[in-house]
């Protein structure tokens, strides 16, 4: 059993969960149906719980969440993408939860420092994945309008998916195997949803591993400004 | 359970023209209510009783889902991850309460869709308290402490309401509301004991939310339109003024422990009555907000309609997909994707 926690990896996984939880929290009061208010909040809460554990492995959770500058965040660019319409949110969920589920299942099976967290989180994430897969199929194989929206959302977010398989220092996971499993699973869901796998590249010049290196997209700065504003306005206060 | 007579009637007969039979059902219903028995969905009930319940349960359900907005306003700015988790869980609970309550209304033969349509078109109301804005983080605490506190005072007696499904939904809702109330109190306590700026933020929030919270109990008893009949049917158990007084008496010592002042110079203990006296409520403000002239009436209903309209294609897709599935016949792993390595 390894005792030292790799900070880079804890921040990468913790920031993914923190940022996606925040985005999902933006849906509160705006979901298409009451059941989805409950479901999206539930996923957001699971992710926030994971983020708190992971960030605490790397330092003080609130200092890390509220007092870091944009360039110090290590999350994937995928999770910071704005909610868009419900199809964009579902495509983001499908891509991320499939990745997170495959990753956490591997980490849970090992004896590394993330094994205990992953063992608990993998059960939560299985539900997130199921939720995303079911909605992908419903929207893809629903009406003409929903089919088109879902296809467009998958295409728009596809370029941010390659980053998930870049190596992360401290995470003992074989990237190429992860990519193959992910592609197989996502490809299968899209096929059942009567959608096609986007043809574009999985990463562009800017997006190849960029979030993990602290390079983010334009919407992220705004998101952080909103998230950090109150905390930063009262230096040293406790809440 | 209601009396055998109320339960064992053939309901179709009750809708006939036989006045003698209807009278018998009515007597059975009255007897069940008088004996503090629960009326259940399949029991005969007077049309006006059904209509009153639908109106009240719908208004309550609408309040839960509109009430998500002022608090959701602060989810993305919550100042610590612990507070963020608490707030998200609370807003999620409110969506859940909306679900139970729309389901309770469905047992009376009214669909959720129909009720939402009435909300969106302004034919049904929600609690006026949510037409006030949440301007600072402390407002999240004030809503928990005062607004949820007032709601609990109103709702605990509803756990004994004569209509079974509503009473049972309220048992669960009240348990969760009492968590919210304590969390709100604890949030304000942290602010009150924090920096001078945080303390001032807490006081300002209590100053703004105190009077609207007292208005949540509705107009004074002599002006309350629906009260007398609802009391007779045991839908309602205590009068508006009784509940308001109970709430004031609970809040005064809590405000003291919080180190915050309630904004009423007339507030004092009356030994003779055994209650706190309090100053006059501005009922003009109450009626104005009720009529639609509050600070956020337009904003709240617009956001609700917008969420509903923007979600229409999603609901249509789900319905279309379900219909395709049903047409394809028995499920296979091909259509469910039930296998997972």
């Amino acid at each position: 059993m390894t005792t030292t926690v790799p900070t880079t990896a804890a921040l990468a996984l913790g920031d993914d969960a923190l940022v996606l939880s925040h985005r999902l929290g933006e849906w509160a009061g705006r979901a298409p149906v009451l059941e989805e208010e409950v479901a999206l909040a539930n996923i957001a809460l699971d992710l926030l719980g994971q983020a708190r554990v992971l960030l605490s492995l790397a330092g003080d959770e609130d200092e890390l969440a509220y007092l870091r500058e944009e360039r110090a965040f290590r999350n994937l660019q995928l999770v910071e993408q704005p909610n868009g319409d419900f199809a964009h949110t579902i495509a983001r969920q499908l891509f991320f939860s499939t990745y997170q589920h495959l990753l956490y299942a591997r980490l849970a099976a090992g004896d590394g420092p993330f094994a205990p967290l992953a063992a608990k989180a993998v059960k939560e994430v299985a539900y997130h994945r199921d939720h995303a897969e079911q909605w992908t199929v419903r929207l893809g194989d629903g009406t003409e309008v929903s089919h088109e929206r879902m296809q467009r959302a998958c295409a728009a977010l596809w370029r941010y998916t390659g980053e998930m398989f870049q190596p992360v220092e401290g995470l003992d996971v074989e990237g190429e195997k992860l990519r193959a499993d992910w592609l197989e699973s996502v490809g299968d869901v899209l096929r059942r949803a009567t959608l096609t796998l986007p043809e574009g590249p999985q990463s562009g010049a800017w997006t190849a591993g960029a979030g993990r290196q602290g390079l983010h997209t334009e919407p992220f700065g705004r998101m952080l400004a909103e998230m950090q504003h109150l905390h930063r306005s009262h230096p040293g206060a406790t809440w | 359970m209601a009396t055998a007579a109320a339960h064992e009637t053939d309901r179709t007969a009750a809708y006939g023209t036989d006045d003698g039979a209807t009278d018998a059902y009515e007597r059975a219903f009255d007897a069940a209510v008088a004996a503090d028995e629960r009326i259940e969905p399949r029991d005969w009930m007077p049309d006006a009783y059904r209509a009153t319940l639908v109106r009240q349960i719908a208004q309550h359900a609408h309040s839960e889902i509109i009430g998500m907005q002022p608090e959701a306003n602060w989810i993305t700015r919550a100042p610590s991850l612990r507070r963020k988790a608490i707030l998200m869980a609370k807003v999620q609970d409110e969506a859940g309460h909306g679900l139970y309550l729309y389901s309770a209304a469905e047992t009376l033969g009214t669909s959720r869709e129909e009720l939402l349509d009435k909300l969106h078109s302004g034919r049904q109301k929600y609690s006026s308290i949510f037409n006030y804005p949440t301007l600072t983080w402390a407002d999240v605490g004030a809503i928990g402490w005062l607004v949820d506190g007032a709601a609990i005072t109103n709702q605990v007696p509803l756990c004994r309401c004569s209509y079974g499904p509503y009473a049972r939904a309220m048992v669960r809702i009240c348990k969760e509301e009492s968590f919210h109330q304590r969390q709100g109190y604890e949030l304000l306590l942290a602010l009150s004991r924090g920096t001078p700026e945080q303390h001032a933020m807490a006081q300002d929030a209590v100053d703004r939310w105190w009077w609207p919270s007292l208005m949540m109990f509705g107009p004074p008893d002599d002006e309350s339109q629906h009260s007398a009949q609802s009391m007779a049917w045991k839908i309602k158990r205590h009068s508006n003024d009784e509940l308001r007084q109970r709430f004031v008496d609970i809040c005064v010592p809590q405000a003291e422990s919080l180190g915050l002042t309630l904004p009423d110079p007339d507030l004092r203990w009356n030994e003779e009555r055994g209650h706190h006296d309090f100053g006059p409520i501005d009922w003009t403000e109450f009626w104005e907000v009720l009529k639609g002239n509050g600070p956020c009436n337009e904003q709240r209903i617009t956001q609700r309609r917008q969420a509903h309209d923007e979600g229409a294609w999603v609901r249509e897709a789900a319905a279309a997909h379900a219909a395709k599935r049903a047409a394809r016949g028995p499920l296979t792993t091909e259509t469910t994707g039930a296998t997972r390595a």
Side-chain angles (χ1 to χ4, degrees):
Chain A
M1 183 103 182
T2 325
T3 45
T4 50
V5 172
T7 307
T8 310
L11 284 180
L13 302 183
D15 287 347
D16 282 349
L18 177 73
V19 170
L20 186 56
S21 164
H22 185 95
R23 284 298 190 203
L24 291 171
E26 292 173 354
W27 270 105
R30 299 173 191 278
V33 61
L34 200 44
E35 283 78 358
E36 284 307 299
E37 292 284 0
V38 177
L40 295 173
N42 206 57
I43 296 169
L45 276 165
D46 285 344
L47 290 168
L48 184 52
Q50 295 164 14
R52 295 182 66 191
V53 173
L54 286 159
L55 294 180
S56 298
L57 293 175
D60 178 87
E61 60 174 34
D62 285 339
E63 272 179 35
L64 288 168
Y66 292 100
L67 299 176
R68 267 183 302 161
E69 297 295 324
E70 187 177 333
R71 293 293 304 269
F73 278 81
R74 292 289 177 261
N75 56 282
L76 299 164
Q77 290 183 352
L78 174 68
V79 295
E80 74 203 33
Q81 296 312 306
N83 289 335
D85 66 5
F86 191 66
H88 279 76
T89 290
I90 291 301
R92 195 183 57 197
Q93 283 303 114
L94 176 71
F95 295 164
F96 183 74
S97 64
T98 304
Y99 157 74
Q100 208 191 11
H101 190 233
L102 294 169
L103 175 67
Y104 279 17
R106 283 161 165 78
L107 295 176
D111 61 355
F114 298 111
L117 165 94
K120 178 170 182 284
V122 75
K123 293 176 199 151
E124 299 169 347
V125 175
Y127 281 104
H128 306 174
R129 184 179 178 182
D130 187 45
H131 173 262
E133 289 182 353
Q134 287 199 39
W135 270 111
T136 302
V137 173
R138 265 184 216 121
L139 297 180
D141 189 23
T143 62
E144 247 176 72
V145 173
S146 69
H147 178 87
E148 199 177 306
R149 281 179 183 253
M150 196 61 215
Q151 188 69 64
R152 213 183 306 149
C154 289
L157 293 170
W158 192 251
R159 74 193 59 198
Y160 300 108
T161 56
E163 196 186 342
M164 297 189 289
F165 314 111
Q166 300 291 321
V168 175
E169 189 193 322
L171 277 192
D172 186 20
V173 174
E174 201 194 320
E176 278 316 306
K177 179 76 175 75
L178 191 63
R179 182 201 296 271
D181 289 350
W182 184 89
L183 260 180
E184 188 189 341
S185 171
V186 167
D188 178 57
V189 175
L190 295 186
R191 189 176 51 77
R192 282 192 283 121
T194 71
L195 297 163
T196 50
L197 209 62
E199 281 174 9
Q202 272 191 290
S203 54
W206 177 259
T207 55
R212 293 280 189 242
Q213 274 81 58
L215 274 178
H216 295 279
T217 56
E218 284 184 352
F220 189 52
R222 246 167 230 284
M223 194 208 99
L224 282 189
E226 183 172 339
M227 184 174 101
Q228 296 182 337
H229 163 261
L230 178 60
H231 184 97
R232 284 180 182 258
S233 300
H234 297 264
T238 50
W239 301 92
Chain B
M1 291 295 282
T3 55
H7 278 290
E8 289 168 10
T9 48
D10 174 3
R11 289 199 308 147
T12 54
Y15 298 122
T17 51
D18 183 348
D19 289 347
T22 307
D23 285 351
Y25 293 131
E26 190 143 17
R27 279 195 299 277
F29 170 85
D30 289 343
V33 170
D36 269 337
E37 287 167 5
R38 291 274 162 83
I39 305 300
E40 296 299 337
R42 295 170 65 88
D43 295 339
W44 184 91
M45 63 187 83
D47 290 345
Y49 175 85
R50 185 185 299 273
T52 297
L53 278 168
V54 169
R55 181 180 54 79
Q56 183 170 334
I57 297 172
Q59 177 167 331
H60 191 168
H62 299 333
S63 301
E64 295 285 356
I65 64 167
I66 294 279
M68 294 169 71
Q69 290 182 31
E71 296 182 282
N73 183 36
W74 283 94
I75 288 178
T76 53
R77 292 176 289 172
S80 74
L81 297 186
R82 173 174 167 263
R83 293 287 177 202
K84 189 173 186 166
I86 291 172
L87 183 56
M88 276 210 275
K90 182 183 178 195
V91 174
Q92 186 195 29
D93 283 348
E94 279 152 11
H97 296 173
L99 280 176
Y100 315 150
L101 289 162
Y102 285 119
S103 302
E106 279 175 356
T107 67
L108 293 159
T110 321
S111 71
R112 195 202 302 180
E113 226 169 21
E114 195 179 333
L115 296 179
L116 283 176
D117 185 52
K118 285 184 175 160
L119 169 67
H120 297 153
S121 59
R123 282 174 293 153
Q124 279 179 346
K125 296 200 178 301
Y126 54 89
S127 176
S128 269
I129 193 75
F130 301 118
N131 290 316
Y132 290 87
T134 48
L135 301 178
T136 73
W137 170 250
D139 290 30
V140 172
I143 288 187
W145 178 44
L146 294 173
V147 174
D148 292 332
I152 294 165
T153 311
N154 262 330
Q155 290 167 5
V156 165
L158 289 175
C159 300
R160 296 186 295 124
C161 158
S162 58
Y163 187 59
Y166 190 30
R168 288 188 288 273
M170 292 316 302
V171 171
R172 195 159 162 186
I173 289 173
C174 282
K175 280 184 195 162
E176 292 180 352
E177 292 291 355
S178 78
F179 267 118
H180 300 166
Q181 199 260 355
R182 275 180 274 171
Q183 286 163 345
Y185 178 90
E186 195 256 335
L187 189 162
L188 284 178
L189 190 65
L191 293 180
S192 182
R193 293 180 177 171
T195 65
E197 290 80 12
Q198 286 176 307
H199 181 89
M201 195 192 281
Q203 183 61 57
D204 169 60
V206 168
D207 288 348
R208 283 181 288 109
W209 288 93
W210 174 248
W211 290 107
S213 300
L214 293 191
M215 294 176 198
M216 283 176 69
F217 297 92
D221 293 347
D222 48 9
E223 288 173 39
S224 181
Q225 200 187 337
H226 303 292
S227 280
Q229 181 61 71
S230 287
M231 300 265 280
W233 278 331
K234 295 189 182 168
I235 293 174
K236 195 171 165 146
R237 297 272 181 170
H238 307 278
S239 80
N240 295 353
D241 288 330
E242 255 175 79
L243 291 169
R244 189 168 11 246
Q245 181 69 62
R246 187 179 294 177
F247 177 67
V248 171
D249 290 337
I250 290 169
C251 286
V252 170
Q254 291 182 350
E256 269 172 41
S257 321
L258 279 172
L260 298 170
T261 313
L262 296 172
D264 178 359
D266 298 329
L267 194 62
R268 61 180 58 86
W269 178 250
N270 181 326
E271 192 63 56
E272 209 172 298
R273 289 202 309 123
H275 291 292
H276 292 86
D277 290 338
F278 53 96
I281 292 171
D282 181 0
W283 291 111
T284 313
E285 177 178 319
F286 173 80
W287 294 114
E288 280 298 313
V289 177
L290 197 68
K291 269 193 290 182
N293 302 327
C296 299
N297 298 62
E298 187 59 34
Q299 178 190 331
R300 300 282 185 247
I301 206 70
T302 300
Q303 183 183 322
R304 180 86 270 293
R305 278 196 208 117
Q306 197 183 341
H308 189 77
D309 294 347
E310 285 175 3
W313 70 272
V314 177
R315 298 190 299 276
E316 283 158 16
H321 180 72
K324 285 183 193 178
R325 272 250 170 117
R328 276 178 214 145
L331 300 181
T332 61
T333 49
E334 174 62 18
T335 51
T336 60
T339 49
R340 160 132 319 139

